[in-house]
Amino acid sequence: MLDNFMRGTIVIEDLEVGMSRHLSKVVTDRDIEMFAEVSTDHNPVHLDDDYARDTIFEGRIAHGMLTAGLISAVIGEQLPGHGTVYLGQTLKFMAPVRPGDLVRAEVSVEAIDHGKRRVTLATRCLVGDTVVLKGEAVVLAPSRKFD
């Protein structure tokens, strides 16, 4: 995994609208196989070359939620980071991710509700210049006062 920032915590008191973080990761066959085992999703479009060639994707693709998991990694490790609690996430899958693709997961602060400790985050994943996933997350951010 290729991080751009140190892992840790940014408490809500230090967050600012527009702040962003990202990480990049090459999705490997092993990642797809391990995700299939953990999730119990063994759909052959992810695991079987012959089957997948005859689908609309014309080849194997990674699980969409594997890609979405990279967003979770940015949120849980970088922005806001350790101590963050996920409250919700919307996702729109725009294009497939294939084995060997370098995925860049990006998260940026859209809004901050200091009273409720809630932060709204724009989320997206790209392969090259292609947006493969986009959405929005709402999280409970750690606070210097309470954590």
Side-chain angles (χ1 to χ4, degrees):
M1 202 165 322
L2 310 167
D3 297 316
N4 70 323
F5 292 96
M6 292 180 52
R7 295 169 186 229
T9 304
I10 304 172
V11 293
I12 194 165
E13 293 86 358
D14 295 336
L15 288 175
E16 298 175 9
V17 171
M19 193 177 271
S20 66
R21 298 291 186 270
H22 71 266
L23 66 76
S24 297
K25 180 186 185 340
V26 174
V27 175
T28 66
D29 286 326
R30 183 170 182 269
D31 295 328
I32 294 168
E33 291 163 5
M34 288 175 35
F35 191 87
E37 287 303 310
V38 168
S39 69
T40 72
D41 178 355
H42 293 92
N43 184 328
V45 74
H46 307 302
L47 302 168
D48 183 326
D49 286 315
D50 292 332
Y51 176 90
R53 262 193 295 280
D54 292 333
T55 68
I56 61 169
F57 301 110
E58 299 177 342
R60 285 190 314 115
I61 61 170
H63 300 75
M65 295 309 289
L66 189 159
T67 304
L70 299 177
I71 295 291
S72 179
V74 176
I75 291 171
E77 294 285 342
Q78 297 180 15
L79 184 66
H82 300 171
T84 301
V85 176
Y86 244 116
L87 299 176
Q89 173 82 55
T90 63
L91 299 169
K92 185 169 183 177
F93 298 97
M94 310 296 291
V97 172
R98 300 183 184 282
D101 281 351
L102 176 65
V103 178
R104 178 181 165 108
E106 301 178 344
V107 173
S108 62
V109 177
E110 284 190 326
I112 304 168
D113 181 337
H114 289 276
K116 293 182 180 178
R117 289 178 46 196
R118 293 194 177 172
V119 180
T120 302
L121 304 163
T123 61
R124 70 181 192 162
C125 292
L126 300 99
V127 172
D129 293 330
T130 302
V131 175
V132 296
L133 176 157
K134 64 182 179 178
E136 183 178 270
V138 177
V139 301
L140 182 65
S143 169
R144 203 175 280 116
K145 294 178 187 176
F146 302 108
D147 296 330

